[in-house]
């Protein structure tokens, strides 16, 4: 794993990159709701993807100063234009480095909305998206523009978020191959035994099917 500063416009964001052998596909993680690149849940999913041959990039969508402010106000975590803009710039940077032959996005909570907006804005680089317990509904008018096949994963014991994901899926282009999958007995954070492992399995299968290998 390599620690690095990821350029995103006029800021540098802290990130951790695991490169796949041979420059294969890289999955970029977008956290949300006050989390960071150190999120144990996203780390676990990233480890599972690494074990299956994918590279991963986990980075902080906010600077340390912004994270401190957000901890007090909880405002920036819902600023989807800001988060999506940062993600778009990181995707462009990663594509320009030539470190990946394909880029997928994995978003959790509000990070899922940022991932979908970024996919809509960078259709030539982002070829697949996975959302875990996400808020894709917050992507709003970008939803019909997402061409990258997107998998929305929701816990069976998370009915409010499930309803929001169903509404978002209905707004997306049915011809693009988007799907919604429910993990039985899992709650919003997928803390139940085996729940994150199932997320990792579903994500790996989705990225394997839709990212260049």
């Amino acid at each position: 794993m390599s620690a690095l500063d990821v350029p995103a416009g006029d800021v540098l964001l802290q990130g951790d990159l695991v490169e796949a052998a041979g420059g294969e596909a890289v999955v970029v993680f977008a956290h949300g709701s006050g989390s960071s690149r150190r999120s144990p849940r996203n780390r676990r999913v990233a480890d599972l993807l690494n074990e299956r041959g994918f590279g991963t990039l986990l980075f902080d969508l906010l600077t340390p100063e912004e994270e401190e402010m957000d901890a007090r106000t909880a405002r920036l975590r819902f600023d989807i234009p800001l988060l999506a803009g940062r993600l778009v710039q990181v995707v462009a940077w990663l594509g320009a480095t030539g470190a990946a032959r394909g880029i997928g996005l994995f978003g959790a909570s509000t990070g899922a909305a940022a991932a979908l907006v970024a996919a809509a804005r960078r259709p030539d680089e982002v070829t697949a998206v996975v959302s875990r317990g996400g808020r894709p509904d917050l992507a709003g008018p970008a939803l019909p523009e997402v061409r990258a096949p997107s998998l929305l994963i929701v816990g069976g014991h998370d009915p409010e978020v499930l309803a929001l994901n169903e509404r978002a899926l209905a707004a997306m282009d049915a011809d693009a191959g988007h799907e919604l999958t429910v993990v039985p007995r899992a709650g919003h954070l997928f803390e139940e035994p085996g729940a994150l492992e199932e997320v990792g399995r579903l994500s790996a299968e989705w990225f394997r099917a839709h990212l260049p290998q």
Side-chain angles (χ1 to χ4, degrees):
M1 179 186 296
S2 302
L4 70 167
D5 290 328
V6 183
D10 58 353
V11 300
L12 290 175
L13 303 172
Q14 296 177 324
D16 296 316
L17 174 66
V18 174
E19 295 187 69
E24 298 290 351
V26 171
V27 177
V28 180
F29 281 68
H31 61 80
S33 297
S35 186
S36 72
R37 74 186 191 281
R38 298 185 180 88
S39 161
R41 289 175 291 278
N42 280 352
R43 288 277 185 183
R44 178 57 180 151
V45 175
D47 288 342
L48 293 167
L49 291 175
N50 296 152
E51 292 169 6
R52 289 164 171 81
F54 293 97
T56 53
L57 172 61
L58 293 93
F59 74 99
D60 294 333
L61 284 163
L62 303 176
T63 66
E65 295 76 17
E66 290 169 338
E67 287 182 353
E68 183 178 343
M69 182 181 70
D70 186 63
R72 298 193 307 269
T73 66
R75 182 171 56 85
L76 294 179
R77 68 189 65 179
F78 289 102
D79 190 339
I80 303 304
L82 171 66
L83 303 181
R86 296 266 173 92
L87 186 54
V88 164
Q89 291 167 323
V90 169
V91 166
W93 167 80
L94 185 61
T97 66
R101 295 213 314 246
I103 297 175
L105 301 180
F106 182 99
S109 190
T110 54
L116 290 167
V117 173
R121 291 172 58 181
R122 307 294 297 196
D124 294 334
E125 292 153 305
V126 178
T127 55
V129 178
V130 172
S131 162
R132 173 187 63 80
R135 289 292 308 276
D137 55 298
L138 296 178
L143 289 172
E145 306 301 322
V146 178
R147 298 289 172 261
S150 302
L151 176 65
L152 311 181
I153 304 174
V154 185
H157 290 171
D158 194 10
E160 292 183 5
V161 172
L162 177 57
L164 293 171
N165 274 254
E166 290 172 337
R167 192 178 310 158
L169 183 65
M172 300 173 77
D173 184 355
D175 294 331
H178 310 303
E179 294 182 12
L180 187 153
T181 295
V182 176
V183 177
R185 296 178 297 280
H188 182 60
L189 297 180
F190 293 84
E191 296 177 310
E192 296 74 15
L196 279 179
E197 285 69 24
E198 179 65 3
V199 170
R201 183 188 70 80
L202 291 168
S203 301
E205 290 181 355
W206 191 260
F207 289 130
R208 186 71 64 194
H210 297 293
L211 289 180
Q213 297 296 323

